[in-house]
Structure formats: C-alpha cells, structure tokens
Amino acid sequence: MIAPSRKVASPWVVNINDLRGLAKRRLPKAVFDYLDGGAEGEITLGENRRAFEAITFRPRQAVAVGACDLRTRVLGTEISFPAILAPVGYSRLMHPGGEVAAARAAGKAGTGYILSTISGHKLEDVKAGSMGPVWYQLYLVGGRKAAEGAIERAGAAGFSALVITIDTPVAGMRERDPRNGMVELLTGNVLAKIPFLPQIFAHPGWLASFLFDGGVPKLENVIVPGEGAMPLTDAASALRRSVVTWEDIRWIRKSWSGPIVIKGVLTAADARRSVDEGATAIVVSNHGGRQLDGVPATIKVLPEITAAVGTQTEILIDSGIRRGSDIVKAICMGARAVLIGRAYAYGLGAAGEAGVARALEILRQDVDRTLRLLGCRSVLDLSSGYVEYPPDWRRREKGVEHDDYRL
C-alpha cells in the first residue's frame, strides 16, 4: 500500500482536482458530497469556477524575474504566500486529524488557518498545533452565552482574529445531503441508517478510522451552559436560531479586543456597513455556492467592492479557487489574499495532514510559476494591468454610491 505522503506526491497528484479524486475514492458518498456539493441547483457553485476562467492574463514578456517574492501581510502578520485556510465545518468527519491536521499543515507552510465553530477538535488543541496565525470563525449556535465562552477561550488560547460569518441565517438547501442520508447517518436511529449503510461499508478504511476516532464528534467549542458540548447533529437546527445581525457585531466587539473579519459580503452596501461597524477586514464570499443559490461569483463582484472600500479595509476573497493562477487573478483585482476551502479539504479527505500540505504546496508552486510567466517579481507588484476581465463586471464601479445601506 502506498504511504499517505507518497500517495499525494507527483506523479499521482499534480493539481487540486487530483486530490478531489482521491478524496472521492476514500470517503463515503455522504461525506464527500457534503464537501463537494453546493446549494439547490448548484448554479453559483459552477459560476464560481466559470468566472475565474473568464479572466485572462496580460503578461510582460522578456523579463528576467529571478526569485519571486510571494509574501504578503494580512491583519499585520506576514504569510508566506497569499492564501489562508478557510473555515470548513465537519472536518473531523473527513479525517480524524480534522482541524488540528489542517492547522498544523498551514503553520508549517507559513500561512494561517481559520477554525470553524462547527468543529470536532477543541480550539486550544488547534491553536497549539499550528506555528502560524489562527483565527476563530464564530457562529452564534448555542446562544450568546456559548458564543461569549468561545470568544473568551479563543482569546486565552492566542487566536489572533475573530471571523464573523453573516450569510448563514439558515443552512442552504444542499440537495445532495438528504439524498445521501447525511442526517440519518449522523443520528442514532439504526433503522433510518439501513438504506445508506452500503456506501459506508464500501469505504472500510474511512469507517475504521471513523470508529477508532470515537464516531460522530461533538462540537467541542460550543459549550451550552448546563448542557456541555453541543452534539454535532444539532448544528443545523441551532443555526436557524442564531442569525447574526449588525447589532450582534456590536456586542461581539465589546467581548473581543482583537481584529474582526466579516465574512459573506457580496455588495458594496454590506462592505461599507462592515467598515462602519469596525471590521478590520472583509471576506467577499458566497460560501462556496453553499448558501443562497443564484448569487454572483465572488470574483465578479470584487471590482464593485474594491471601488467602495478598497482604501478603508483589507479585502479577502473565497469561493471557486482551485489553482494558483486563480489566486493571482484575485490579487490583481484588488484582494489582499484569498481563503481556500474545498481546495485543502479535498487533501484532508484524501490523506489527512499530508493531503493538506500537498494542496498548499501545489498552490504555492502555481503562484510562483504564474508570477514568473507574467514577468512579475512580487505578489505586492500585482495590479489590474496584468489581467483582462469582462467589461460588464465594471458596470457598478462608478455607481456603488447609489447602493447604500443608509438610504
């Protein structure tokens, strides 16, 4: 049998899609489709990729580049290249190492990791496992007291920023999940599990590691007063009772003294509101096409948001990033850095920490190669002059002042 580190090495794995294939073979269909799928008709899921493909490069030829400098600074901290690992819920179902393994790989690669509230490992263990910056992504599941407890723990553990996700008043309708029996497989009803058991038994390696890890984990960072850690199976229903509002961000600011990042911004109005509410950075995000289907690709709205607040806050972007060239395109169009989700989660599902490390290695090499081919010596030198994108993406850049939450 090929060792995990060799399994994800070249020539077996040369791009992120190869890691996706390995994850699909190792994981039960319910777990893989939870990672891979999007909401409803998956229109936005597909549009995220199509939009990146619509951007073309304008290289500078006959340039002796030499060594490329991939470093940048996000929230005052230097990272080795402009990609940070996004929060991915249920990571421990993909691999027992889960969030700890992903954070460790990020730290070794010289970049950051964002821990989801919907996580199976304690936040203290995740922070201890990483040599790099670690941020905590907050949902209000479990109520305000549970959230305040998590914020206090994150501060004590050394998390350097708080990420507030604003696009999840309810979980999106990810149609693959009910078809695959995701809920039934996670609950204790044996009879309900029976129709879906063949897909589990078809992946004995995953099943053995899952059982050895103790089965379905609890949400170790959602401690409900008087009840303890929330069961993972309660997460979806808890989200429906925990809508994040702008008023919530105000009391969160009183509980957290560090930088606040607001994630889920898709309009200039929400970008400006985020700045007015004290956000140090925003994440232009459609949740990877997993929430409201039919919203635009994030890269398409980036020019509008950059025009509105690009001089007032740091802008990050996620959704649809599968290659280092995508990262370069996003930086050229105004992002400080990107968040990657599925790209590293495929690696986690395929081979744990080794798979995440390989995903980061692939993307870093892609960014370096793209800069060399563009004739650009540094990530900090990238600009809109290196790319061309459809002219209709620019249509709102001069009119964003008319889309204002204050009106």
Side-chain angles (χ1 to χ4, degrees), residues 128-396:
S130 178
M131 298 182 293
V134 183
W135 306 348
Y136 186 71
Q137 177 263 341
L138 183 70
Y139 285 127
L140 300 186
V141 293
R144 181 176 290 196
K145 289 296 184 183
E148 289 174 341
I151 292 171
E152 182 178 352
R153 287 172 59 194
F159 283 69
S160 55
L162 193 66
V163 179
I164 304 173
T165 300
I166 61 171
D167 64 356
T168 317
V170 63
M173 178 50 176
R174 300 154 198 170
E175 296 177 2
R176 300 194 204 185
D177 292 351
R179 291 193 183 105
N180 292 331
M182 188 68 167
V183 172
E184 289 79 4
L185 290 169
L186 293 178
T187 61
N189 188 328
V190 177
L191 290 177
K193 294 179 190 290
I194 290 175
F196 307 104
L197 289 178
Q199 61 164 299
I200 298 294
F201 293 133
H203 297 81
W206 176 89
L207 179 59
S209 64
F210 174 74
L211 295 175
F212 187 76
D213 191 43
V216 179
K218 289 191 173 183
L219 300 180
E220 295 286 356
N221 303 311
V222 182
I223 308 301
V224 181
E227 299 179 23
M230 177 180 287
L232 181 145
T233 50
D234 291 350
S237 59
L239 275 175
R240 291 193 290 271
R241 302 189 299 270
S242 58
V243 178
V244 175
T245 67
W246 298 111
E247 288 72 24
D248 290 317
I249 292 172
R250 291 167 196 159
W251 70 255
I252 290 170
R253 282 170 52 201
K254 296 177 182 178
S255 300
W256 176 262
S257 59
I260 288 180
V261 180
I262 295 183
K263 178 178 179 289
V265 174
L266 283 174
T267 64
D270 278 347
R272 279 193 294 268
R273 182 65 181 263
S274 298
V275 171
D276 288 350
E277 296 294 345
T280 310
I282 62 172
V283 184
V284 182
S285 173
N286 58 37
H287 220 105
R290 296 169 63 80
Q291 283 300 105
L292 178 61
D293 200 20
V295 298
T298 53
I299 195 69
K300 291 181 72 172
V301 300
L302 182 58
E304 168 190 339
I305 291 170
T306 300
V309 298
T311 61
Q312 301 169 270
T313 190
E314 295 182 18
I315 299 176
L316 311 175
I317 186 172
D318 68 15
S319 303
I321 296 158
R322 300 291 184 274
R323 295 185 179 273
S325 57
D326 299 332
I327 297 174
V328 173
K329 290 173 181 178
I331 305 304
C332 287
M333 294 177 63
R336 177 71 61 91
V338 307
L339 306 188
I340 56 170
R342 287 184 180 90
Y344 86 82
Y346 290 139
L348 180 67
E353 182 182 341
V356 178
R358 179 59 175 147
L360 286 166
E361 180 183 37
I362 289 168
L363 293 173
R364 181 186 174 88
Q365 290 173 346
D366 283 356
V367 171
D368 183 84
R369 182 174 56 253
T370 302
L371 258 64
R372 292 173 183 275
L373 291 170
L374 281 176
C376 182
R377 294 180 175 85
S378 170
V379 162
L380 299 181
D381 293 335
L382 291 170
S383 69
S384 59
Y386 283 101
V387 292
E388 185 65 46
Y389 53 94
D392 64 309
W393 295 11
R394 300 183 178 92
R395 69 185 184 277
R396 291 181 55 82

